[in-house]
Each structure stands twice: as C-alpha cells, then as structure tokens.
Amino acid sequence: MTIAKIDRMQYFFMIPNLLFGKAIGITAGVMVRKLGADTWLSMTIGFVIGIIFMLLMVYLCSKFPDKTVIEFSKQLLGKWVGGAIGVLLALFFIMAYATSANTMLLHLSEYFLQQTPFLLICILYILLCMYGVFMGIEVVVRFSLVGFIMSILINVTMLTGTSQDLRPINILPLMDKGLLTDITGSYYIFGDISMAILAAGFLYPMLNKKEKVRRITFWAMVTGACMIIVWPLFETMVLGPDLMKQSVVVCMRQIRCAQLTKYLPRYELIMVSFFAFGMLVQSVAMFYCAKHCIKQVAGIKKDWIMIIPLAVVLVIATYFMGQDDNNYIDFLSFPYSQICAALGIGLPLFLFFTALLRGKLKKRKKGC
Amino acid sequence: MINEALIVNENFLKNKIGESFDTKYRSLKIPAFNNAEAFIVYISGMIDARVIDETILEPLMKYSKLPQGKLQVKGAEPISILTEQGVFTTALKETRQWEEICDAVMEGDTILFIDQCPSALILTTRKYEGRTVNEPSIESEIRGPRDGFIENIQTNAALIRRRIKDYSLRFDNMKIGERTKTVVSVTYIESLVDEALLKEVKSRLEKINVDGIIASEYIQELIEDSPFSLFPKMTNTERPDKACAALLDGRVLILVDNTPFVIIVPTVFWQFLISSGDYYEKFYLATFLRWVRIIAMFLSISASSLYVLLTSFHQEMLPTALALKIAEGRQGVPFPAVLEAAVMEIILEIMKEAGLRLPKPIGQTISIVGTLVIGQTAVAAGLVSSFLLIVIAVAAISSYAIPSYTMSNALRLVRFPILILTAFFGLLGYLAGIITLLMHLMSLRSFGTPYLSPVIPFDKNGNKDVFIRTPWWKMLNRPKFVRSKDRARQTSNLKPKPPSEK
C-alpha cells in the first residue's frame, strides 16, 4: 500500500484550518453564555493548555514515526485495548464531523437557504466531503493552503469592516467571573482543539520529513489561536456579551455589522464563501480520520468499501444533530465539549504515561 | 532480403507497394557496368525530380571510371563502387532489407537496384509540398518572433536548432502507428532534463500500439495523465519561441510529423494563463495582463452562475440601486433566471460553433444578424433581460482572453455544471461547484508534477513567474517542479546598474 505523503508546510497550513471554522462563531457563542465578556480570555487560556497537549501528542508520535495513534496504541496496550481506542476515536471523529458539518450547514440554512430542505443541504455537503475523501488526504492537505488564505481574508475583512464600531468598554471588567472560572471554562475550546490533537495522530506518519515538526506544530497552533481569538475579542467589543448570547451563529451577527463599502452593504455572502473553504478542510479531515480509524480497527484495505457506508452514517448523524439549532448548541455545551476535553487531554496523557512505563520513550530520534 | 535477379526484386516491390499512378518504376542501363540492367523506384509526389535527374541519373549515365579488370558485374561490387567512388552527391545508404527499402520509398526516397547485386541503394530525394513557415494562427502575439511550426518535422526541428545551439540538444526519433509510421521526436536538452521524466515520456510513447497517428492530439490522448479530466495536462504550441523556452526550463517536447503543434511536458495549470508575449513586454505590464487573464478566467466560469445566484437567491446582497436596476430589466421576462441564462449560454455556443464553419464572406453577415436577432430583438421582445446579455457577453469575451485555446474550451464546459448546481442550491451549489473544481485540479498531475504547482504545493522560487512576472535578472533558477538537473538558470547580480555603481 502506498502511504500518502504530505510536506511540512502543508501540515502547517492544515492545523489552523482544523481549529478555525467552528471556533469563531459556534464555540464563541457557547462560551459567551457561560463566561460573558471573558470568552476571549478563557479561549486564550484554553489554547495555551491545548498547545501543550498538541505538543505532547506530536512528541508521542515522534517516538513511533511510522505509526498512527491507533497502531502505536496497539503496540503499547495490546490489540484489544488499542482496538478499543480506535473505536473510541472513530466515534469521536464521526461526532466531530457532524459538528463541523453542522457549523457550515447552520450558516447556510439560517441565513441563505431557509427554504431548502435541511436534509438536501446536508446530503450535498456530505457528497462534497466524500469527493474530497475519495481524492485522498494529499488533495485535502493541498486544499488547506486555499482554506488558510481564505480564513486570513475573512479575518482581514472582518477587522476592516468592524474596526469603526469597536467599543473596548464591552470587554471590561476583565476576569469579571474570576480567573478560576475562566480557566475551568476554557475546556469548551477543546471541542475544536481536540480535532487538531487527535488528527495529528493520523497526519504525523504521513509527513515526508519529520525534522522540526514540533516547532512547526507550535507555530501552526499559535497562528491558528491568534486567528481565532481575534473573533471573540472583536465580537465582544462590537456586539457586547448580551447580544452575543442571543445568537446561535455569533460570527454571522458580527459580520452583519461589517460594511466594507456602500457597494458591499451585506458582506455575509462573501464571508460565507471564504469561510466554506476552511470549513471544508476541517470536515473532510474529520471524515478522512473517521474512515482511517474504522479501516485500521476493522482491518479493511479498500477505501471505497468504507467511504460510502460511512457517508450514510454521517448524513444521519449530521441531520439529526443539526435539524434543531437549539439541540445542536445544547449538545455542544454538554456533553460534546466534555468528551472532547477528556479525549484531547486524556488520551495523549494516558498514552504518554503508558509509553513511559513501558520504556518506549527512552529511544531518542534526532531532529524531531 | 533482396534477390540478385532484378526481375524478382521488381515483382516483389510491385506486389508489396503496388503500381499506383504515382509509384514509378524506371528501368535503365548503366554504361559503366557493361550496360548492366537496373531500375529505380520512387513515389512521384514525394520526391524532388531535379535531385533525381541531377544527382542520380546524370552521374550514373556519365560515370565511366570503371576500375580495371572489373568488367564483370557480379555480387555487390557495382553498388560498392558507386558508394565508394562518390558518384552520387545525395545522401545514400546500402541495404538488403525489404522493410527498410519499402519504408524509404514511402518516405520519398529513391531506391536503385542493379541486376546481379544482392543489395540496393537508398538515395535521399525527399521533397514534400507544404506550407512555408509563417505566423502562428491561434497564438499570435503583438511583439516577438513571427515564425510558427509547420507540418514538416524537419523544418520544426530546424526552427528549434536555430534558437538553441546547445551541444546537448537531442532529438530522439521513433515511428508510431502500424500503418502511418509517423515520425515522433522526443526533444530535450540532455544536460537539463530530468532522467526520470525523460524515461517516463519515452516509455509512454513506446507503449502506443495503434494503426495510425494523424496529429499530435492523438499522441496526447494516448499518453495523458487522468484521461477523463476536462483539463489539458500537456501544452500544445505552434510557437518555436515558447517551445524553446520550455526546453530551457528542462522540459521535454514531443514533435509529431504532419502536425504544426508541438507538445510540451510536464505542464502545469498556470502555463495556460501565461502567454509568450509576457516575456516581450515590461514585467509590470506582463504582471498586469496575467491578473487580467485570471479575472477573465473567473468570469468565464462564474459570470452566469453569479447572475443566477444573486437574482434568484440572494438579492439582498446587491446594493439597492443595482438590485432595482436588475429587477427593472427582468420585468416581464417570462422565464426564471436560470433558464434565461442557460438558454442564452447554449445559443452563444451554437453561434460560436456555426461561426467556425461559416464561409468567410457570409460569416460577417450572420454575425450581425445573430447579434441583432439574438441580442437586441430578444431584449426588445422581453424574452431575456438586457443585464443577462451583458453577463453572457462578458463571460464569452472573457473565455477568449485566456491564451490557451484548449484551456478556454475546458472552462467553457465547466461553467454549465456550476450553473446547474447554483440554480438548485444557490450559494451552496456555487461553492460546491468551485470547490469540486479546485479539488479536482489539485488531484491532477502531469508526468508526476502536481498540476497546480508551484502554487500548490507552494514553491517560492517557482512563483516568480506565475501571478507576477519578475524581471529576467531575478529569475535565477529554473522552476523546481520541472526537476531539472541544473537548477541554476543564470548568475546573480544581473540587474542593470549605472556605470558609477558597477
């Protein structure tokens, strides 16, 4: 079997895409209901913690450079426990895909295609992702450069369009709910960071060169974090936390406040057009990882055997998760964020200590 | 193997290549060899009669210096004597193989048989009627050379040789096609080309087993990667300057006899947006023109889809004044925007196709009638809106701003599925179309080179000649994606400076 190869620059662009889409609007909306004006601060804390666990995951992967997280789990814990981790990860990626897809679909069904049946939109989006998975991870990773550029463009246009409406007083007083609340509330962002942490366990073996990957991962995470944190910060300064709490998709409310010129009075169409590219990378990556997990657990060799049934499962999961906006947001508040935090923090820690106890961390690889 | 008896050879040939009106068998006696019987065979339309008269027949008749004691015509001696004594001034080759003889006749050579000789002489007398070198018809430029490739492979090779005098320029010929035996030449600069690429090109060509190759497009379809894709993975050019620039990048050319289009491999998407003229203008203008073409490409794919998207789904995104103007134009139009756009697109395609085949004198008349009837009258009758006509015209003109005809055709076809998707799903449909197109482009390769190189995967050096055309003194290296053996194109510090700073 030929193993797909991706280069380090593509990997760098991939990580912000894995973090960006859901975090800027949906997660910010979930967090603002709990943390008010401190959302951006709590998110920053979450990212600091997230970066540590991301680096821990990459460190672990560097000890098993040609193995995916499932393969080295099997090596460390045996076939059955490793297989159970694989099943757990497959379920996580299916769920992550459904949340990611619903982020995009919510933007479309709420603001642009109110009269189109949700199931139809859902099927078309999943078909698009399926095409990406058929094309293979190399294509998806190449596409991440486009997604990254588009995400930068959204940020630039949002900042330009809303800079005249900034009211810094809206973020004051800082740590209104207390630092401890901000720290404990930061786990909500793991709904997004965990996607990157756990996907790294599958991307790492595909890297064509493995030197300086930890450094690249660190800067990719920092770049992604900066691109995201600016959103709740600006959203709070423009809209204020009370208005933010009332929106399902906060970023769309923010975008509606942005007017680039009188010739572009409604900017959301352009914003969603840019947004779709990055969002698609996230969704396709989750689809791909889910497929990869099931393949490795079940020992299936051929992709197409997996992709079509999995797509059907994803249509069902996405449809039932997203057909009611409130249920979707409630699901993200509980239990999705908690599960993601448990997996994103727990799995790397668990594997790290297991590897440590089994003496697998002694062998050092140069340059990693 | 040929026979010693002249009559046997003649009968064999008549049986093998026939006695068509243009196949000439001319018997003669050679005085120098005791009036030995001989005959020549050639195809009249493919030879230079003057060459036969002056360099073959005349020397043969006048030749009298028969070496002493060699009065008997026996064995291969007369042929050897003629060869060794330099009787003929044209190029020649001695052979005993029928296949070689028949191939030579078919290519316009003349064959001399002498009685009692077990070998024959192939004498080069080829001359084909054909076009002279003139300006390329579909790749014309305002500045730059005016010569273009023609149907004769020898002339085309000479046009390349005139420009590149590198000792390592190679033309590796092969014959493809069981019946056409078309000469195909793999051309490259040995000191630059990537060995793996060259090997791959040759191996793909060698695998071709067809009865005929009429044009280079046949070869292209037989060796192209992802054959079901709409997009061309090889460049065709009529311009020797463009072909030579490709050779200097380390690429490989495929020259096909009887075709004025030379194939360039590997090819990347962006090459289709670059014109040879870009290198004959100031780099600022060349960069500007590239962006114009990129915008034109976007419009040719998207203009009609965006019209449908904005008028049918997302009217609120338009500035009020513009929205009102469009609504005013659409008042009374009995069709939905998508039907209006699709019908106009199809009519435009019909007009384009008809325009290609119309005899020149009536072409202009039909264009005027077409424009008036389809344009003004349709608007006046309220069947289509005037704004849509502008959109369709912009899309049509934009598609011709793309320098490559093959790419422009591919983009023509792409806009229909995007239009249909947009009509059904609005923004999601449009984005789905564009994203699918992008992912498809990212999955393509041309002889191992990713199709969107050097942008995706990103290569800083390669991007000096994509979205911007940097000055020549900045393009120090050949593009990385071509994988040339010698990446350095030139020395640094070539930027012109005033004498005081030197």
Side-chain angles (χ1 to χ4, degrees):
Chain A
M1 192 178 79
T2 318
I3 297 168
K5 288 288 172 199
I6 54 180
D7 76 30
R8 290 172 300 177
M9 192 184 262
Q10 291 168 338
Y11 170 76
F12 174 87
F13 291 128
M14 181 90 177
I15 288 174
N17 279 303
L18 292 177
L19 299 169
F20 189 77
K22 192 167 74 64
I24 63 165
I26 307 285
T27 309
V30 171
M31 288 179 83
V32 80
R33 288 181 192 95
K34 315 280 175 191
L35 300 154
D38 282 351
T39 301
W40 69 274
L41 189 64
S42 183
M43 229 182 225
T44 311
I45 296 166
F47 271 112
V48 172
I49 302 166
I51 289 170
I52 295 168
F53 284 96
M54 180 71 170
L55 292 175
L56 182 65
M57 183 57 135
V58 172
Y59 172 75
L60 268 174
C61 291
S62 71
K63 297 293 165 190
F64 307 90
D66 302 319
K67 291 193 164 88
T68 64
V69 63
I70 298 177
E71 286 166 337
F72 71 71
S73 297
K74 281 181 181 172
Q75 189 185 329
L76 288 172
L77 300 156
K79 194 181 162 188
W80 290 103
V81 182
I85 288 177
V87 173
L88 207 61
L89 284 175
L91 291 172
F92 165 78
F93 285 121
I94 290 172
M95 204 167 59
Y97 175 85
T99 58
S100 166
N102 270 313
T103 304
M104 186 67 213
L105 299 181
L106 210 59
H107 281 76
L108 292 167
S109 62
E110 285 283 304
Y111 293 88
F112 299 104
L113 302 167
Q114 286 106 333
Q115 285 164 17
T116 314
F118 183 69
L119 183 63
L120 209 60
I121 306 176
C122 199
I123 290 172
L124 182 64
Y125 187 74
I126 289 166
L127 281 176
L128 192 60
C129 296
M130 201 166 104
Y131 180 69
V133 176
F134 262 121
M135 290 285 117
I137 192 71
E138 278 171 311
V139 171
V140 181
V141 173
R142 279 181 202 157
F143 197 79
S144 62
L145 173 65
V146 181
F148 182 78
I149 293 168
M150 293 297 183
S151 304
I152 296 276
L153 282 175
I154 304 172
N155 277 24
V156 170
T157 45
M158 185 276 284
L159 296 181
T160 321
T162 56
S163 56
Q164 67 272 27
D165 299 323
L166 290 181
R167 285 186 294 275
I169 196 158
N170 283 348
I171 57 166
L172 297 174
L174 275 181
M175 298 182 208
D176 189 24
K177 309 240 167 179
L179 182 61
L180 194 65
T181 314
D182 291 345
I183 295 170
T184 50
S186 67
Y187 72 83
Y188 285 106
I189 194 66
F190 270 84
D192 305 271
I193 300 176
S194 295
M195 291 193 209
I197 295 176
L198 300 173
F202 293 90
L203 295 175
Y204 191 91
M206 294 175 201
L207 286 166
N208 58 359
K209 286 177 189 164
K210 296 193 168 72
E211 296 87 25
K212 299 180 187 169
V213 172
R214 259 177 274 165
R215 194 186 304 170
I216 291 167
T217 309
F218 174 77
W219 286 112
M221 288 294 288
V222 170
T223 308
C226 293
M227 284 164 66
I228 292 164
I229 290 163
V230 78
W231 278 84
L233 188 63
F234 268 59
E235 281 160 356
T236 316
M237 284 201 275
V238 173
L239 301 171
D242 293 328
L243 197 56
M244 281 171 77
K245 283 175 194 169
Q246 293 166 27
S247 315
V248 176
V249 189
V250 186
C251 59
M252 285 303 276
R253 180 63 76 95
Q254 168 80 349
I255 287 303
R256 284 205 159 165
C257 298
Q259 182 172 346
L260 290 176
T261 63
K262 67 175 182 177
Y263 300 105
L264 283 173
R266 301 286 291 273
Y267 159 63
E268 58 255 47
L269 183 79
I270 298 170
M271 183 267 183
V272 170
S273 305
F274 290 161
F275 182 67
F277 290 83
M279 205 60 240
L280 193 91
V281 175
Q282 191 185 60
S283 302
V284 178
M286 293 304 105
F287 194 154
Y288 179 85
C289 290
K291 181 210 77 178
H292 211 65
C293 282
I294 300 171
K295 258 178 80 176
Q296 291 203 334
V297 172
I300 298 167
K301 297 278 179 210
K302 287 184 179 165
D303 274 358
W304 61 269
I305 296 178
M306 277 314 310
I307 293 174
I308 296 169
L310 184 58
V312 175
V313 171
L314 293 178
V315 169
I316 296 165
T318 309
Y319 177 72
F320 284 105
M321 191 187 281
Q323 62 174 341
D324 186 311
D325 305 347
N326 293 323
N327 286 348
Y328 171 57
I329 298 296
D330 288 346
F331 174 73
L332 292 182
S333 309
F334 181 82
Y336 181 72
S337 301
Q338 290 73 9
I339 295 171
C340 288
L343 269 174
I345 296 171
L347 188 67
L349 264 183
F350 175 61
L351 291 174
F352 173 77
F353 283 116
T354 313
L356 190 70
L357 291 173
R358 303 229 161 168
K360 299 284 181 190
L361 301 181
K362 283 177 189 164
K363 193 180 154 195
R364 281 183 175 272
K365 288 260 173 195
K366 263 190 178 178
C368 288
Chain B
M1 298 283 272
I2 68 170
N3 200 287
E4 283 191 2
L6 200 63
I7 190 71
V8 176
N9 291 337
E10 193 171 343
N11 287 339
F12 180 87
L13 263 181
K14 281 178 179 171
N15 190 34
K16 189 84 177 169
I17 61 173
E19 290 180 85
S20 308
F21 73 97
D22 59 345
T23 312
K24 306 291 181 196
Y25 297 87
R26 192 165 160 183
S27 301
L28 48 114
K29 287 182 178 171
I30 306 170
F33 300 125
N34 292 335
N35 284 331
E37 299 273 340
F39 81 90
I40 56 171
V41 56
Y42 57 85
I43 294 174
S44 59
M46 298 177 78
I47 49 96
D48 187 342
R50 195 183 52 81
V51 173
I52 293 187
D53 289 342
E54 291 175 11
T55 66
I56 300 173
L57 295 178
E58 204 179 309
L60 204 57
M61 293 302 138
K62 287 182 180 171
Y63 178 67
S64 57
K65 292 176 188 170
L66 189 67
Q68 278 193 341
K70 292 195 175 178
L71 294 172
Q72 293 295 316
V73 177
K74 200 76 183 159
E77 273 172 5
I79 295 287
S80 308
I81 292 164
L82 290 171
T83 313
E84 285 160 15
Q85 300 275 321
V87 177
F88 303 118
T89 49
T90 184
L92 50 82
K93 190 186 174 191
E94 189 181 339
T95 185
R96 292 171 183 223
Q97 304 297 326
W98 277 120
E99 198 183 342
E100 207 175 345
I101 288 166
C102 294
D103 282 352
V105 174
M106 291 299 150
E107 281 172 8
D109 289 336
T110 298
I111 319 296
L112 171 67
F113 290 88
I114 301 173
D115 197 21
Q116 299 305 312
C117 289
S119 60
L121 269 185
I122 300 172
L123 299 142
T124 306
T125 54
R126 297 172 198 191
K127 189 188 179 188
Y128 312 130
E129 290 304 321
R131 283 193 300 144
T132 51
V133 173
N134 51 18
E135 196 173 350
S137 53
I138 60 166
E139 282 180 283
S140 55
E141 292 290 348
I142 295 166
R143 293 175 69 183
R146 300 270 179 242
D147 56 347
F149 288 124
I150 58 165
E151 286 74 8
N152 189 333
I153 195 169
Q154 304 269 4
T155 313
N156 293 346
L159 287 171
I160 293 170
R161 284 242 187 242
R162 267 182 62 195
R163 285 173 169 83
I164 300 175
K165 295 177 179 72
D166 191 310
Y167 300 149
S168 64
L169 176 62
R170 300 281 181 269
F171 291 86
D172 292 350
N173 283 16
M174 55 180 83
K175 283 184 183 172
I176 302 179
E178 200 68 31
R179 295 182 191 281
T180 57
K181 296 193 168 113
T182 310
V183 180
V184 174
S185 180
V186 178
T187 309
Y188 55 94
I189 297 177
E190 199 172 25
S191 51
L192 294 182
V193 76
D194 172 37
E195 297 290 347
L197 168 69
L198 183 65
K199 200 175 156 193
E200 182 63 26
V201 172
K202 285 186 177 173
S203 90
R204 288 193 197 186
L205 287 172
E206 278 157 11
K207 275 184 201 157
I208 298 175
N209 185 11
V210 291
D211 66 342
I213 297 289
I214 305 295
S216 62
E217 287 74 13
Y218 283 47
I219 299 267
Q220 204 165 325
E221 272 200 42
L222 289 162
I223 64 170
E224 198 172 37
D225 300 77
S226 312
F228 289 108
S229 170
L230 272 177
F231 293 91
K233 270 79 61 194
M234 297 176 187
T235 319
N236 272 314
T237 186
E238 280 186 280
R239 296 189 66 90
D241 55 337
K242 191 172 172 180
C244 290
L247 281 177
L248 292 173
D249 276 347
R251 294 177 216 248
V252 175
L253 305 182
I254 302 171
L255 278 68
V256 181
D257 202 9
N258 304 314
T259 313
F261 292 98
V262 165
I263 300 169
I264 302 173
V265 289
T267 290
V268 292
F269 177 79
W270 312 106
Q271 265 173 263
F272 297 102
L273 299 175
I274 295 172
S275 137
S276 311
D278 291 357
Y279 301 100
Y280 308 131
E281 300 288 354
K282 277 294 260 187
F283 48 86
Y284 298 115
L285 182 67
T287 303
F288 171 72
L289 291 175
R290 283 185 189 182
W291 279 98
V292 167
R293 288 179 209 130
I294 290 167
I295 293 167
M297 180 178 69
F298 173 74
L299 286 174
S300 79
I301 298 172
S302 299
S304 48
S305 303
L306 287 177
Y307 172 79
V308 172
L309 177 79
L310 291 171
T311 55
S312 303
F313 289 89
H314 312 297
Q315 302 90 340
E316 75 280 6
M317 300 299 151
L318 293 166
T320 315
L322 180 62
L324 289 173
K325 204 78 193 155
I326 295 173
E328 195 184 311
R330 291 212 72 237
Q331 217 168 21
V333 175
F335 308 114
V338 59
L339 197 64
E340 202 189 352
V343 168
M344 286 311 291
E345 286 275 16
I346 290 166
I347 289 174
L348 186 80
E349 291 299 325
I350 294 170
M351 280 167 69
K352 273 187 204 170
E353 197 55 25
L356 281 176
R357 279 153 192 73
L358 282 171
K360 267 186 188 167
I362 60 162
Q364 212 174 1
T365 321
I366 296 291
S367 307
I368 293 164
V369 171
T371 316
L372 288 176
V373 172
I374 308 297
Q376 273 185 308
T377 321
V379 173
L383 292 174
V384 291
S385 72
S386 49
F387 192 77
L388 174 76
L389 271 191
I390 299 170
V391 170
I392 298 291
V394 166
I397 294 166
S398 298
S399 69
Y400 288 108
I402 297 159
S404 162
Y405 182 67
T406 43
M407 179 54 81
S408 150
N409 282 343
L411 296 176
R412 259 165 80 181
L413 291 179
V414 159
R415 67 170 177 251
F416 287 101
I418 296 179
L419 178 65
I420 293 165
L421 274 170
T422 310
F424 280 104
F425 297 100
L427 177 66
L428 178 61
Y430 175 71
L431 287 173
I434 295 289
I435 289 172
T436 309
L437 177 66
L438 267 175
M439 283 203 284
H440 173 67
L441 290 173
M442 285 173 193
S443 72
L444 297 178
R445 282 175 181 270
S446 168
F447 285 84
T449 302
Y451 198 48
L452 292 186
S453 305
V455 179
I456 301 169
F458 188 77
D459 166 38
K460 191 180 138 202
N461 251 316
N463 274 288
K464 285 182 178 174
D465 195 18
V466 181
F467 296 117
I468 50 164
R469 205 279 269 171
T470 47
W472 271 116
W473 38 264
K474 285 289 276 182
M475 285 196 244
L476 304 180
N477 294 316
R478 290 174 228 286
K480 195 176 168 186
F481 61 84
V482 181
R483 306 183 295 272
S484 174
K485 264 187 237 168
D486 178 13
R487 283 218 54 215
R489 195 198 292 271
Q490 60 205 22
T491 54
S492 53
N493 298 324
L494 289 177
K495 185 184 170 189
K497 288 173 189 162
S500 58
E501 288 181 30
K502 278 181 184 171

